[in-house]
Amino acid sequence: MQLDSNSPCSVMLVDDEEHIRISAGQTLELAGYPVTCCANAQQALDVLADGWVGVMVSDISMPGMDGLALMREVRQRNSDIPVILITGHGDISMAVGAIRDGAYDFIEKPFSADLLQDVVKRAVEKLTLTLENQRLRRELEAQSAPGPRLIGKTPALQQLRGLVQAVADTPADILILAETGSGKDLMARYIHEHSNRRDKNFVAINCGAVPENLIESELFGHEKGAFTDAKARRIGKFEHANGGTLFLDEIESMPLALQVKLLRVIEERSVERLGSNESIPLDLRIIAASKADLKQQAEQGLFREDLYYRLNVVKIDIPPLRERRDDIPLLFQHFAIVASTLYGREVVPLSAERMHSLVTHDWPGNVRELRNLAERYVLLGENCTFDFDDQPILDATERGHMTLPQQMERFERMLIQTELARHGGSIKDTQESLGLPRKTLYDKMKKHEINKDDFKN
């Protein structure tokens, strides 16, 4: 079990004397720590067996298993857990030896509330740093894998991520439908890089960007002399993607005559170069993408119906940015950090008012529009103008679907995200800027599923 980065670190207090458990427990709770009290070592080990992670404070002198034996057992189970020992007057030399054996620190009875809080605070900082380093190592390992990331935590994106994970390793062809700028290319690359084809080629072609008289050669290839300008053999996109993934973007732009040949290649999983009679077997996944409603186009005779149904084995609908507004602060922060690295510029913290403008804008250009704005903001800082700064909180249509409490919750979430971004994920600075007690901020972050690590530069 990992420590929740949004919650204060837990403390386990182990002492056979009830009055010490009560008084020390209250001291730690007043400092903002969730406290678990145990009357003996066995109770503590039972809690530990459930995956508990935190700081342990244990008396040395207890009946049965004493604090030293408990410390050794804890270190065997999870060496990351700091163990602070409470010692009697005659146990100092024993406690010093325990520190050599791995105890974090010791406190001599009687102790003050300030001393207990100070020692626990330092132990919490050590544990937090240890877990943070582990998280960063895991993140670096994940980032070292090729491919883009699907950024966002809204239910729509989580559902999308789950669908992709379910189909990534299957051979099924996929149809991506989304508005312009929603990230169809990124989604196709994400699917490829998270599939068992990741070590083979990812080949992309924009069907709307290739002249009609060249697209057949681009897709299928040609032999030397197949037509006037065919001066050498050319390997087509299908053949080049063999073993991997072929991404056909803007497939609604493909000429109807070519759609017939495309359907044949998809069904037979083989291709013939222009000017050749040799059939080349194919093992590849096809991902097609369109900004148009292909079913509607098929009904209007603008797209072949049989090709639509052949491509539509698995359909992925990427929601437009206006339908996942709560992801906007996180996306903006990500794009700003990327631009900061690219241009060698520091990111100027975004004010709550300007973040409000981002969250309430309709984003007709979707994620691409947001990315471009983030880059421009990094380059120009406060001089960067937002064309939509003065728009109302929500348009009339959306206001009609949201109650006042829902609008207030969205605004609260946006303010917390803005301040976390301004302070690089620092809880201390964020709570001070918002005027909130630490526990209240943590509770609100937990309610809104906000992770401070997403806002660290």
Side-chain angles (χ1 to χ4, degrees):
M1 176 180 173
Q2 298 173 12
L3 187 67
D4 184 351
S5 60
N6 284 335
S7 302
C9 180
S10 297
V11 178
M12 189 188 302
L13 186 59
V14 190
D15 200 302
D16 61 312
E17 297 185 54
E18 185 178 7
H19 71 279
I20 291 181
R21 294 199 303 272
I22 293 173
S23 61
Q26 289 176 343
T27 295
L28 294 170
E29 285 176 346
L30 287 172
Y33 302 112
V35 178
T36 301
C37 291
C38 300
N40 55 59
Q42 189 55 56
Q43 287 183 12
L45 292 176
D46 289 343
V47 174
L48 199 67
D50 291 332
W52 179 88
V53 177
V55 171
M56 180 177 287
V57 180
S58 174
D59 190 15
I60 287 183
S61 299
M62 295 186 296
M65 179 184 287
D66 64 17
L68 294 175
L70 174 61
M71 180 203 70
R72 287 191 288 269
E73 181 65 25
V74 169
R75 287 192 57 76
Q76 284 184 359
R77 297 191 185 190
N78 188 342
S79 60
D80 292 332
I81 294 176
V83 179
I84 300 167
L85 296 174
I86 300 175
T87 72
H89 181 66
D91 298 331
I92 298 298
S93 60
M94 186 187 303
V96 172
I99 288 178
R100 287 198 299 266
D101 293 337
Y104 175 76
D105 205 343
F106 67 90
I107 302 173
E108 185 180 4
K109 294 179 182 177
F111 51 85
S112 67
D114 288 342
L115 176 61
L116 176 62
Q117 290 178 354
D118 180 64
V119 175
V120 168
K121 179 175 180 288
R122 287 189 283 109
V124 167
E125 290 172 350
K126 176 182 182 297
L127 176 60
T128 302
L129 181 62
T130 299
L131 297 178
E132 176 69 6
N133 287 338
Q134 292 175 357
R135 185 194 66 80
L136 287 173
R137 281 197 296 271
R138 289 192 299 269
E139 188 171 301
L140 286 172
E141 289 172 0
Q143 293 296 334
S144 65
R149 298 163 55 199
L150 297 183
I151 297 172
K153 294 185 177 180
T154 55
L157 197 73
Q158 290 176 356
Q159 184 178 5
L160 194 63
R161 195 180 285 116
L163 174 60
V164 170
Q165 290 171 351
V167 302
D169 276 337
T170 70
D173 294 333
I174 293 174
L175 177 62
I176 300 174
L177 299 178
E179 294 180 2
T180 299
S182 297
K184 296 184 287 293
D185 177 79
L186 180 143
M187 177 61 73
R189 291 179 183 274
Y190 183 90
I191 294 169
H192 173 77
E193 297 296 351
H194 288 78
S195 75
N196 50 19
R197 298 179 181 271
R198 66 182 65 90
D199 294 329
K200 302 296 184 179
N201 289 337
F202 174 86
V203 180
I205 183 169
N206 188 315
C207 301
V210 182
E212 187 172 338
N213 62 325
L214 295 179
I215 191 168
E216 188 172 359
S217 173
E218 283 288 321
L219 286 173
F220 308 137
H222 61 253
E223 295 289 349
K224 180 179 179 180
F227 48 86
T228 304
D229 293 327
K231 298 179 181 178
R233 170 186 285 181
R234 178 184 177 85
I235 301 300
K237 300 296 186 184
F238 271 100
E239 197 174 345
H240 187 50
N242 205 2
T245 301
L246 176 64
F247 176 49
L248 301 172
D249 197 8
E250 295 191 18
I251 195 166
E252 72 276 10
S253 303
M254 182 174 288
L256 284 168
L258 188 58
Q259 290 179 28
V260 179
K261 298 180 180 180
L262 175 62
L263 177 63
R264 179 183 174 188
V265 171
I266 294 174
E267 289 184 335
E268 297 181 359
R269 279 309 198 258
S270 64
V271 65
E272 293 180 5
R273 301 189 197 106
L274 299 180
S276 171
N277 293 320
E278 179 186 357
S279 180
I280 302 167
L282 298 173
D283 170 25
L284 80 169
R285 159 180 269 159
I286 295 172
I287 301 178
S290 173
K291 61 180 180 292
D293 184 336
L294 291 186
K295 184 177 182 183
Q296 186 180 68
Q297 289 215 332
E299 291 171 352
Q300 296 173 352
L302 302 175
F303 194 84
R304 289 192 61 92
E305 188 175 27
D306 48 3
L307 178 58
Y308 165 70
Y309 285 114
R310 183 61 188 83
L311 290 171
N312 192 25
V313 178
V314 176
K315 185 172 72 169
I316 293 179
D317 290 291
I318 303 176
L321 194 54
R322 64 181 176 277
E323 292 182 7
R324 54 185 188 107
R325 296 181 188 273
D326 293 340
D327 285 336
I328 291 173
L330 194 59
L331 283 164
F332 182 85
Q333 176 77 358
H334 168 74
F335 292 138
I337 290 173
V338 172
S340 173
T341 303
L342 179 64
Y343 299 122
R345 298 285 186 88
E346 186 176 349
V347 180
V348 178
L350 199 67
S351 67
E353 292 77 14
R354 307 205 87 182
M355 183 62 78
H356 158 79
S357 294
L358 295 184
V359 173
T360 56
H361 180 48
D362 273 344
W363 299 105
N366 289 293
V367 176
R368 183 186 296 130
E369 182 185 358
L370 178 63
R371 183 191 63 210
N372 292 342
L373 179 61
E375 290 185 6
R376 190 162 69 248
Y377 182 77
V378 168
L379 287 170
L380 302 178
E382 288 296 328
N383 293 323
C384 176
T385 57
F386 293 1
D387 296 334
F388 41 83
D389 274 338
D390 298 325
Q391 71 180 32
I393 291 179
L394 295 169
D395 60 43
T397 302
E398 189 165 359
R399 278 201 307 272
H401 291 86
M402 292 185 70
T403 65
L404 179 60
Q406 288 174 329
Q407 294 184 46
M408 292 176 67
E409 281 205 2
R410 169 171 286 175
F411 191 67
E412 179 181 79
R413 183 190 299 112
M414 181 267 293
L415 282 177
I416 294 172
Q417 291 173 322
T418 300
E419 292 307 307
L420 281 169
R422 278 169 54 82
H423 299 295
S426 168
I427 293 296
K428 181 175 182 293
D429 293 339
T430 299
Q431 73 175 86
E432 289 178 356
S433 66
L434 291 173
L436 293 175
R438 189 180 187 89
K439 186 176 186 304
T440 302
L441 176 59
Y442 274 122
D443 289 343
K444 290 183 180 296
M445 290 170 62
K446 185 174 183 180
K447 179 180 74 171
H448 296 306
E449 297 183 344
I450 299 173
N451 190 330
K452 66 179 181 183
D453 295 332
D454 292 329
F455 299 91
K456 291 184 177 179
N457 295 332

